[in-house]
Amino acid sequence: MQQATRIAPSILSADFATLGAEVAAITEAGADMVHVDVMDGHFVPNITIGPAIVKALRPHSALPFDVHLMIAPVDPFVVAFAEAGADIISFHPEAGAHPHRTVQLIKSLGKKAGIVLNPHTPVEMIDYLIDDLDLILVMSVNPGFGGQSFIDSQLRKIETLRKRIDASGKPIDLEVDGGITLATAPRAVAAGADLLVAGTATFTGGPSAYADNIRRLKAA
Ligand code: DX5
Ligand code: ZN
């Protein structure tokens, strides 16, 4: 069942020079999770955050850390992110040869497992994974950068996944990532999403604006 809309600010749009304070500020401002975009310059054309940064940020918030891995391979780094304090670990099935094994690895560490579907990736990718998933993340931009425009075709994918999740009867979060604004948030939620990643939309205006930005996204 679709839950009330929750917001996961992507710290990719935060001030990297004061990342601990930024994580504390979004926590104070009403964020529901902290979305951590991990990029390797190989699976996606950008390099961001590694496990050492996740570990350093962990004491700055009691919120769940939603770690989005955009790296290949995935498996050799899962333990490091789990030990660093990730609560949810999501990965792209294209990043490794054995996504089922990767899901089992994440679950074996007591963490929640998520699959991320790129804009071109069909819904059927999850057919034989859904029984073990805690989260499905629909990319509404091509991964690699914040501040891109929402790709409308992904709304159909969200609608299909909402039906699949409800039919499964399992409490799987349906998350959308990329180009979330006050205009696109209500469309994603109407299609069935219940967890919205928001980088630009959260961090625009600096710390004094975060609470208002998050509140307006939830209300949109
Ligand atoms: C893109 C990342 C997103 C992105 C979202 O690869 O996964 O989390 O930073 O940024 P906005 O909300 O600015 O589109
Ligand atoms: Zn992300």
Side-chain angles (χ1 to χ4, degrees):
M1 286 297 289
Q2 186 172 5
Q3 299 183 54
T5 306
R6 289 157 295 154
I7 304 295
S10 163
I11 59 170
L12 188 56
S13 301
D15 178 354
F16 273 27
T18 58
L19 217 38
E22 291 278 68
V23 166
I26 54 169
T27 303
E28 182 73 16
D32 296 286
M33 289 185 192
V34 177
H35 186 82
V36 183
D37 284 310
V38 178
M39 307 187 188
D40 67 353
H42 163 74
F43 184 68
V44 291
N46 197 3
I47 300 178
T48 57
I49 288 169
I53 308 272
V54 173
K55 187 176 178 194
L57 292 175
R58 192 60 277 188
H60 294 268
S61 176
L63 292 176
F65 275 18
D66 172 30
V67 175
H68 174 191
L69 299 180
M70 288 162 272
I71 62 173
V74 180
D75 293 8
F77 298 98
V78 167
V79 169
F81 281 102
E83 288 178 349
D87 297 284
I88 306 165
I89 299 177
S90 302
F91 67 98
H92 292 249
E94 294 87 355
H98 306 287
H100 187 276
R101 174 180 291 150
T102 304
V103 170
Q104 304 310 316
L105 172 60
I106 295 167
K107 304 288 285 188
S108 76
L109 298 165
K111 304 300 179 181
K112 292 186 173 181
I115 280 282
V116 191
L117 303 181
N118 270 333
H120 82 282
T121 308
V123 164
E124 289 69 31
M125 180 61 85
I126 62 147
D127 278 358
Y128 297 96
L129 295 170
I130 190 165
D131 286 346
D132 295 314
L133 294 180
D134 300 290
L135 178 145
I136 300 171
L137 171 50
V138 173
M139 290 305 301
S140 40
V141 298
N142 281 292
F145 303 95
Q148 304 182 79
S149 298
F150 191 90
I151 300 172
D152 280 348
S153 62
Q154 301 309 303
L155 291 168
R156 265 188 294 132
K157 190 184 287 177
I158 296 165
E159 285 169 8
T160 305
L161 284 165
R162 169 48 56 201
K163 290 189 192 118
R164 295 283 304 273
I165 290 169
D166 289 351
S168 80
K170 292 171 59 76
I172 299 171
D173 290 329
L174 183 49
E175 184 173 37
V176 182
D177 187 0
I180 290 294
T181 63
L182 292 177
T184 58
R187 300 172 70 210
V189 170
D194 50 14
L195 183 54
L196 306 179
V197 176
T200 308
T202 298
F203 287 96
T204 297
S208 64
Y210 298 165
D212 219 37
N213 290 346
I214 291 170
R215 190 181 48 71
R216 288 165 72 201
L217 281 171
K218 280 190 196 180

